[in-house]
Amino acid sequence: MQIYLVGGAVRDRLLGRDKADRDYVVVGSTPEEMVAEGYRPVGKDFPVFLHGESQEEYALARTERKTGRGYQGFAVHADPSVTLEDDLRRRDLTINAIAEDEHGELVDPYGGVRDIKQRVLRHVSEAFVEDPVRLLRVARFAARFAPLGFTVAPETMALMREMVANGEVDHLVPERVWQEMKRALGEAAPQAFVQVLREAGALARILPEVDALYGVPQRAEYHPEVDSGIHTEMVLAMAARLAPGDSLIGFAALTHDLGKALTPAEELPRHVMHEQRGKAPLLAMCERLKVPVEYRELAVAVCREHLNIHRIDELKDSTVYEVIQRCDGFRRPERIGMVATACECDARGRLGMEEKAYPQAATLRKVFEAARAVSTKELDLEGKTGLEVGEMLKKARIAAIRQARASD
């Protein structure tokens, strides 16, 4: 039995990062031997075991053979004859196909160390095209490592385009798309996820609502970048800056302007009612990808209200109250801060406006806290019905909003 540290832990150490979980591959062993050594089996599709003390994962070296469409269409072979090189060959990218033995010596048969130094995301073998999830993983790793200068190798991008052309990408299951997308939206450069998928031709198949934004013009006085797709990329980049690691804000940033793709051609470059038009494609995306409720609700709120937040100083006190109410702020107070941040991402995710102040976010937070502080204990509710209580609370909250704005 030989044990090697593999994958992300080795890659991240070479990059000077220390974030990845430690995974191991075991060569020359059997499931029975692993159990006898005190490891607990947990793998359903292939032999994976947990260490009795550290609970770290140890997987028997294995190979995979394509048997059908999609990422589940594989037959797995694991026995003592499978070599370390065989196991590393089935991995997606060379930077993830480096092993380290018990003495700290690297085993790098596919040039992963070279590609880390050259900042290249490159496939290990032609078997890359057999698993459509790898296309998503490359885009996600681009979102993580683009700030370090990583780019996708031309030959790998060619294979990704081939996966789109041959229909392999159409066999991705919604849950896996969302899993990879959610992780990408919390990375340092989530816009790279969209850029890589678009370059591969996969964005139109996976996120057609986002792909449709490219080439749609906006008014240059408000959007010097003009293109709605480029604006979305810039908003994603701002989301990573203002709310690092927050995929909720990232998803709201990605979807806030979907309605612009539905603006009638004769109305361009204006986008009247785009915040209302955007709800249908947003909900369609959420339904298709089985997006969790908390992501959907925040994204809908930002899509619907972002123009109202931008012009909050022009709104009546009662209208500000209604905006907060529609965002479910009084029941979900954390929602208002997230809406404020997402709207700031939209305002500053524009060419030349990245450093521009956005006082509307502070205004929204301030008036919300004032309205939220109103308690029914302060009201004379004796003999009042439920409807009357609700109306009195509403009026008191609007008054609190008015007072908070007057104190600026």
Side-chain angles (χ1 to χ4, degrees):
M1 180 191 296
Q2 295 173 293
I3 298 175
Y4 299 86
L5 182 67
V6 292
V10 181
R11 175 200 68 222
D12 283 4
R13 183 177 63 77
L14 294 173
L15 284 168
R17 297 159 60 101
D18 188 25
K19 295 183 179 180
D21 294 331
R22 294 171 63 87
D23 296 315
Y24 298 84
V25 66
V26 182
V27 178
S29 186
T30 64
E32 293 76 18
E33 185 179 2
M34 295 294 288
V35 171
E37 291 287 334
Y39 293 87
R40 179 166 61 88
V42 293
K44 293 181 179 179
D45 300 321
F46 44 82
V48 178
F49 302 82
L50 294 183
H51 190 279
E53 295 180 3
S54 70
Q55 295 299 298
E56 292 174 326
E57 284 194 2
Y58 289 70
L60 293 185
R62 65 186 189 270
T63 59
E64 295 172 347
R65 179 172 54 84
K66 186 72 169 172
T67 59
R69 289 283 201 172
Y71 81 100
Q72 292 181 321
F74 290 92
V76 174
H77 172 68
D79 69 33
S81 68
V82 178
T83 67
L84 177 62
E85 289 73 15
D86 290 336
D87 183 273
L88 295 176
R89 181 178 172 80
R90 68 174 177 78
R91 297 173 185 264
D92 50 8
L93 298 173
T94 59
I95 65 170
N96 297 328
I98 309 169
E100 181 181 300
D101 68 17
E102 59 184 321
H103 305 295
E105 295 296 320
L106 297 180
V107 181
D108 180 29
Y110 304 109
V113 173
R114 171 205 65 206
D115 287 341
I116 285 175
K117 291 178 180 177
Q118 296 179 357
R119 299 303 199 244
V120 175
L121 300 173
R122 190 192 318 274
H123 64 284
V124 173
S125 73
E126 295 299 312
F128 179 92
V129 299
E130 296 176 351
D131 184 355
V133 172
R134 289 174 173 172
L135 192 150
L136 291 169
R137 282 173 57 82
V138 171
R140 174 166 63 81
F141 280 118
R144 179 180 301 176
F145 294 132
L148 299 181
F150 276 82
T151 58
V152 180
E155 61 270 32
T156 301
M157 182 57 70
L159 284 185
M160 291 167 68
R161 292 195 183 103
E162 178 185 324
M163 295 166 75
V164 174
N166 68 20
E168 187 69 35
V169 72
D170 298 324
H171 293 272
L172 284 165
V173 298
E175 292 85 356
R176 199 62 195 273
V177 173
W178 172 249
Q179 180 184 11
E180 295 294 331
M181 187 168 109
K182 175 185 173 182
R183 295 179 68 181
L185 290 171
E187 296 289 3
Q191 71 277 12
F193 178 78
V194 174
Q195 292 164 344
V196 168
L197 290 181
R198 183 166 181 256
E199 187 177 351
L203 191 65
R205 310 283 269 273
I206 297 171
L207 297 173
E209 300 88 353
V210 176
D211 187 72
L213 292 170
Y214 287 89
V216 177
Q218 304 165 104
R219 293 171 65 181
E221 63 266 38
Y222 298 115
H223 289 276
E225 71 284 354
V226 179
D227 189 292
S228 296
I230 300 302
H231 169 59
T232 297
E233 292 179 12
M234 296 181 74
V235 178
L236 280 170
M238 190 57 64
R241 176 177 165 183
L242 299 182
D246 193 330
S247 57
L248 270 167
I249 300 293
F251 185 65
L254 176 71
T255 58
H256 79 286
D257 263 353
L258 296 183
K260 288 182 176 177
L262 301 177
T263 299
E266 62 272 15
E267 295 181 14
L268 297 173
R270 299 173 72 241
H271 291 279
V272 178
M273 302 289 288
H274 77 273
E275 64 274 33
Q276 282 80 22
R277 289 190 178 115
K279 184 177 179 181
L282 171 53
L283 291 178
M285 179 193 297
C286 291
E287 181 70 21
R288 185 178 70 252
L289 298 182
K290 298 177 171 51
V291 175
V293 171
E294 60 178 335
Y295 285 81
R296 184 188 71 218
E297 289 183 348
L298 176 65
V300 168
V302 172
C303 175
R304 184 186 59 233
E305 306 296 349
H306 64 278
L307 291 190
N308 283 327
I309 307 304
H310 293 341
R311 58 189 184 94
I312 191 170
D313 292 335
E314 305 169 22
L315 302 181
K316 296 187 297 183
D317 301 316
S318 58
T319 304
V320 173
Y321 169 85
E322 295 296 344
V323 169
I324 294 171
Q325 186 80 325
R326 285 196 298 269
C327 292
D328 203 17
F330 297 114
R331 289 197 318 122
R332 302 283 303 277
E334 73 282 357
R335 175 80 50 79
I336 299 303
M338 291 190 286
V339 169
T341 298
C343 290
E344 183 172 357
C345 294
D346 174 36
R348 294 173 60 184
R350 309 178 191 207
L351 192 62
M353 301 184 189
E354 294 88 347
E355 306 306 324
K356 189 175 180 180
Y358 187 71
Q360 294 94 323
T363 298
L364 176 61
R365 291 186 174 99
K366 178 180 179 179
V367 299
F368 168 64
E369 289 303 329
R372 183 188 175 203
V374 174
S375 170
T376 54
K377 296 178 182 178
E378 304 166 13
L379 306 176
D380 180 10
L381 303 179
E382 187 175 351
K384 299 294 190 295
T385 66
L387 287 175
E388 290 171 331
V389 170
E391 189 62 27
M392 290 176 66
L393 185 59
K394 174 181 176 180
K395 289 180 178 179
R397 283 172 167 168
I398 292 173
I401 290 170
R402 183 181 306 113
Q403 185 175 358
R405 298 172 90 179
S407 67
D408 286 341

